[in-house]
Amino acid sequence: MVSTASPRPGAGIGDAPKRREDAAFLTGRGAYLDDLVFEAVCHAVFVRSLHAHARIAGIDVEAARAAPGVLSVLTAEDVAAAGLNPLMPTVQANPKTGEPFAFLPQPLLAVDRVRHVGEAVALVIAETVDQALDAAALVQVDYAPLAAVITPDQALASTAPVLAEAVPGNIAVRWKTGDVEAVDAAFVGAAHVVEVALHNHRIVTNPIEPRGLVGTWDAGEGRYVLHIATQNLHAIRDVTAAALDVEPGRVRFIAPDVGGGFGTRNYPYPEYPLIAWAARRLGRPVKWIASRGEDFLSDHQARDHHSVSRLALDENGRFLALKAESTANLGAYLIASMGVVETVLYAHLAGTVYRIPAIALDIKAVLTNTTPNGVTRAPGYAEANMVIERLIDAAARQCGFDAADLRRRNMVPASAMPFTNALGETVDSGAFAETLKTALARADVDDFPKRRRESEARGRLRGLGHAYHIKGTGGSPHENVEIRFEGDGTVSLFTGTQTIGQGHHTTFPQILGELLGVGDATVRLREGDTDLIATGGGHGSSRSTYMAGTAIVRAVEEIIAKALPIAGEALEAAIGDIVFEQGSFTVAGTDRSIGLLDVAARGRASGRPLDTYHAWTREWMTFPNGAHVAEIEVDRETGAVELLRYTAVDDYGVVINPMIAQGQAHGAMAQGIGQALLECTAHDAAGQPLAASFMDYAMPRADNLPSFDHAFNPTRCSTNPLGVKGCGEAGVVAGPPAIANAILDALAPLGVTRFAGPATPERVWRAMRGGG
């Protein structure tokens, strides 16, 4: 039996040691992609489409090929001649029904048509970046512009151009789910019906490190090696190998340090096989680092979800039914597992915090001439939470209920856990009403009327809004770890998850160190290389601690079982008389013991190493949840919104390292606040991006954020032995609806009942003057 009784060596579960990786980052010793040195490296630049939609009548690359320093200029013709394949969606059918999605494979370089501004048309490789840029400007592309489709409404119009013959009507995904008859009956008998139309607007995630990679060809081993800034090594490696038409084992991915991910690095891109292929053609390392402008045009974007939703209530405010029609803008291609985002992630947790007896969803996902849409924190879940939390506040205003009380009276009680919602999804744990009560108390809502009067005395409008979030965490259902006992007395932990700033080099040793009783300082995490471990789910959906942590627990159980016979021999005792506790095997009732590391050394010497590999497949997800409260002021003259207070109480289950968990919470809150107040990418009628640089796209900065009041109200998760839940996404789920609700609360005296973000001064000013 593994014991975690105190005292324990080093930092364990629940402690808050400082992040061990920060010493390197703060002293400039990180190993990000652009820090890596390769001998004889050459540089790549992509020629990208200037049009959102156009036929390619011809490409003239001769001048570029003759330019100084140019080594190669490649087009779709070269790609076809080399036998490379386009990128295919990793999920091609509805997981719930098996119904195929409609899609066009994404070409590595545009073949006969470009479908969004920024789509790659040609690849130029030269000795230096400047030479590659100069040559790229010489590539002449003869475009025949076509009508562009920018919004879902345009894509669905009967007169819309078909963007791909394989996608009739531009609809890639169509699915209806739920009990339509029960919903319709509930609406007929409802005392109140509330309707809200929303656009969860498109954003660009902008990790601090631009996307890029360095490709090399290992002629001796006959395989491609890519140093890459990504968050999902094994899965993207496999897709890249398919595009290169080789087995996955012939492609190695290495990610040293990665400067953020936020989902945009979770899926494959055409640049990855192209750079690898170019390195093999040239016999030299090829390096491509995106400019920030390229990131705005080619990185997968997120959200852009349109919905019209209706909530039915009885005379006492009890929820009777939820109906939602939604349309997701996929951009130019259905990529990776985006069909799952719409059919599983968005759909299966709709309204789950609350008892809603009947739910019906009508879901569409369409193609447009915009950058392909991918995922950012809480894909699908954030959109579903936005719908229900905005509906509840609208119901409170329209029907005369208190918004907090309306939530409380409909929340699933802790005593009802585990709870299965109307769509068949089971949530194992949570204390929703208690968490909301705690958040409201910490936000001092009782004193809010006084603060509102003070604002009014200064000619400003003050509003209070809150939202309750929930999401499923787990991502890929498969994960594995390997634990090795080294000759120097340290323990190496190999995982298929991947750190992109979350502090895994601190938290994972805390878990393993406590379970083995050897102290976290003894453990070294090794990851970020597909050669280190057979497979891996990377980092997405706040999965790492749940998935790798569970695999660690099960591997430790195997280690103890392997160690017991060796300990019995050393102690000359029967296995049944030996207990494992705090890193030592002890003969019960005696002081005779031997440490685990000594047992490991004996096992290694006798040919019975304790090294253990464990792979597992999850059956359930975890469900972090919590209540966030925002308090804002609006300037009557300008519409400027100031976020004055932000309070959050979250249930992350057992918290491994409270400091790191809180840091993750703060980052997610900053991103959610950024979307609510500042961030939005938009296009003109021709599909040209209107916010494709930091001159036009506003990112949150320190002076946009108040000091956060964040606390935990944990309920132990029952779906994993550690009791943990994911902790990285709460703020992006709850922040935008909480802030929108606060703005509508502030503008209520002016008769404003609808508002679409982001809450820029112009948008708020127009809403105040009847512009919606």
Side-chain angles (χ1 to χ4, degrees):
M1 182 179 76
V2 178
S3 171
T4 58
S6 296
R8 60 194 175 200
I13 295 170
D15 293 331
K18 293 182 179 179
R19 295 181 3 141
R20 61 168 68 172
E21 48 266 79
D22 284 349
F25 296 152
L26 295 173
T27 55
R29 292 182 287 114
Y32 296 97
L33 190 63
D34 214 18
D35 298 323
L36 306 181
V37 177
F38 296 84
E39 186 177 350
V41 66
C42 50
H43 299 267
V45 166
F46 286 91
V47 178
R48 298 188 181 275
S49 171
L50 305 176
H51 298 272
H53 198 198
R55 293 197 179 279
I56 299 175
I59 303 177
D60 184 352
V61 299
E62 294 310 312
R65 283 178 174 154
V70 171
L71 302 171
S72 186
V73 181
L74 303 169
T75 67
E77 183 177 340
D78 302 297
V79 170
L84 303 189
N85 301 313
L87 298 185
M88 303 291 284
T90 51
V91 181
Q92 299 177 13
N94 186 332
K96 297 289 188 180
T97 67
E99 182 181 3
F101 299 140
F103 64 89
L104 173 73
Q106 185 178 9
L108 303 186
L109 291 172
V111 179
D112 57 0
R113 198 193 313 190
V114 290
R115 290 178 169 83
H116 69 92
V117 173
E119 183 165 12
V121 175
L123 171 59
V124 178
I125 304 160
E127 295 287 354
T128 69
V129 173
D130 288 342
Q131 289 172 331
L133 286 168
D134 289 343
L138 299 176
V139 174
Q140 298 295 313
V141 184
D142 184 6
Y143 293 108
L146 300 169
V149 172
I150 307 305
T151 68
D153 284 347
Q154 292 174 350
L156 293 170
S158 59
T159 56
V162 175
L163 304 189
E165 296 299 328
V167 188
N170 299 321
I171 301 175
V173 179
R174 180 67 193 272
W175 188 41
K176 294 183 179 182
T177 186
D179 190 336
V180 176
E181 289 186 4
V183 167
D184 288 344
F187 273 92
V188 169
H192 306 286
V193 173
V194 180
E195 180 174 297
V196 172
L198 294 172
H199 177 208
N200 199 320
H201 58 274
R202 181 177 283 227
I203 59 172
V204 181
T205 53
N206 285 310
I208 195 169
E209 181 187 19
R211 195 162 52 87
L213 72 155
V214 180
T216 59
W217 169 251
D218 186 332
E221 295 193 5
R223 67 174 180 165
Y224 302 93
V225 180
L226 283 78
H227 288 75
I228 187 166
T230 186
Q231 65 187 89
N232 197 354
L233 285 179
H234 289 82
I236 297 177
R237 183 272 312 268
D238 294 350
V239 174
T240 300
L244 291 166
D245 203 27
V246 299
E247 293 299 315
R250 291 187 59 197
V251 180
R252 179 185 182 187
F253 268 32
I254 303 170
D257 294 324
V258 179
F262 312 115
T264 197
R265 301 191 196 278
N266 218 22
Y267 287 161
Y269 289 85
E271 292 91 347
Y272 301 164
L274 286 171
I275 295 298
W277 166 60
R280 181 177 183 178
R281 283 177 64 100
L282 295 173
R284 292 175 57 179
V286 177
K287 182 177 184 176
W288 170 69
I289 304 289
S291 68
R292 186 59 67 178
E294 277 187 289
D295 278 344
F296 271 102
L297 297 179
S298 64
D299 278 14
H300 299 153
Q301 298 173 358
R303 307 295 187 231
D304 209 347
H305 188 268
H306 302 249
S307 63
V308 177
S309 52
R310 304 174 75 213
L311 182 66
L313 305 88
D314 69 14
E315 64 276 8
N316 297 314
R318 298 287 182 185
F319 300 160
L320 302 176
L322 168 67
K323 177 187 288 187
E325 297 179 7
S326 64
T327 307
N329 185 348
L330 294 172
Y333 300 98
L334 174 69
I335 58 169
S337 59
M338 279 305 294
V340 174
V341 171
E342 304 310 324
T343 57
V344 178
L345 308 191
Y346 169 69
H348 82 309
L349 279 187
T352 295
V353 170
Y354 310 98
R355 287 191 184 277
I356 305 180
I359 298 175
L361 305 176
D362 185 343
I363 297 167
K364 292 186 287 290
V366 302
L367 300 185
T368 65
N369 294 121
T370 59
T371 301
N373 227 19
V375 297
T376 191
R377 280 168 153 166
Y381 301 109
E383 290 86 335
N385 273 259
M386 173 74 86
V387 166
I388 189 65
E389 293 301 320
R390 290 288 299 271
L391 271 172
I392 293 173
D393 262 46
R397 287 190 300 272
Q398 179 177 314
C399 308
F401 297 111
D402 175 79
D405 184 61
L406 188 58
R407 285 178 170 82
R408 274 191 294 261
R409 74 178 64 180
N410 285 285
M411 280 178 164
V412 177
S415 61
M417 296 296 171
F419 167 74
T420 301
N421 68 16
L423 295 169
E425 184 66 33
T426 299
V427 175
D428 71 289
S429 58
F432 307 147
E434 178 183 279
T435 299
L436 176 61
K437 179 180 179 181
T438 303
L440 294 174
R442 292 182 72 97
D444 190 18
V445 296
D446 289 343
D447 205 36
F448 173 73
K450 177 182 176 182
R451 297 194 295 275
R452 170 173 269 173
R453 289 192 296 271
E454 291 171 350
S455 294
E456 290 171 348
R458 292 184 284 106
R460 299 174 72 86
L461 299 165
R462 198 176 190 109
L464 180 74
H466 42 275
Y468 204 99
H469 72 86
I470 190 168
K471 82 170 292 282
T473 63
S476 169
H478 310 292
E479 198 46 74
N480 57 167
V481 301
E482 185 173 358
I483 299 169
R484 296 183 196 165
F485 292 84
E486 308 292 359
D488 61 0
T490 62
V491 180
S492 294
L493 170 62
F494 300 82
T495 74
T497 64
Q498 186 184 344
T499 182
I500 49 173
Q502 300 92 338
H504 294 174
H505 287 270
T506 302
T507 53
F508 284 8
Q510 285 183 248
I511 296 169
L512 182 56
E514 175 168 323
L515 296 177
L516 293 178
V518 298
D520 63 306
T522 305
V523 180
R524 293 290 180 269
L525 174 64
R526 297 187 62 191
E527 42 86 71
D529 185 338
T530 54
D531 269 9
L532 292 178
I533 197 163
T535 186
H539 183 83
S541 190
S542 296
R543 69 185 297 276
S544 292
T545 304
Y546 166 39
M547 297 297 294
T550 299
I552 289 170
V553 170
R554 294 180 177 178
V556 167
E557 292 170 350
E558 294 178 25
I559 288 168
I560 302 309
K562 290 180 182 179
L564 276 170
I566 302 171
E569 294 171 8
L571 297 171
E572 299 180 340
I575 292 176
D577 294 333
I578 298 174
V579 294
F580 178 70
E581 192 171 71
Q582 297 177 33
S584 294
F585 294 90
T586 303
V587 179
T590 76
D591 60 358
R592 294 163 53 208
S593 66
I594 183 172
L596 174 64
L597 297 180
D598 290 332
V599 173
R602 285 174 175 265
R604 186 167 51 250
S606 63
R608 295 174 291 172
L610 300 187
D611 300 346
T612 297
Y613 170 82
H614 186 91
W616 78 289
T617 299
R618 65 167 173 81
E619 296 180 355
W620 308 101
M621 302 181 82
T622 79
F623 297 95
N625 60 89
H628 290 213
V629 185
E631 193 167 324
I632 60 96
E633 266 191 347
V634 177
D635 186 300
R636 285 178 177 268
E637 298 300 320
T638 67
V641 176
E642 182 180 1
L643 181 61
L644 303 174
R645 299 159 68 110
Y646 195 100
T647 306
V649 178
D650 289 321
D651 174 4
Y652 299 149
V654 172
V655 177
I656 303 299
N657 184 314
M659 178 189 68
I660 287 179
Q662 198 154 71
Q664 288 292 298
H666 286 183
M669 285 187 276
Q671 188 173 348
I673 291 165
Q675 179 184 347
L677 297 178
L678 300 160
E679 297 183 51
C680 181
T681 189
H683 302 80
D684 67 13
Q688 292 296 325
L690 300 177
S693 77
F694 288 138
M695 294 293 290
D696 307 299
Y697 188 95
M699 295 286 286
R701 293 170 170 79
D703 59 355
N704 300 120
L705 309 174
S707 293
F708 298 131
D709 178 0
H710 182 263
F712 303 110
N713 185 40
T715 61
R716 186 179 183 90
C717 183
S718 64
T719 63
N720 66 89
L722 288 173
V724 299
K725 303 176 184 180
C727 74
E729 300 166 87
V732 298
V733 183
I739 292 170
N741 286 337
I743 291 169
L744 286 168
D745 182 54
L747 302 185
L750 304 180
V752 177
T753 59
R754 58 192 178 95
F755 177 76
T760 60
E762 180 194 12
R763 287 174 181 265
V764 176
W765 185 86
R766 289 187 181 280
M768 292 164 65
R769 283 150 182 81

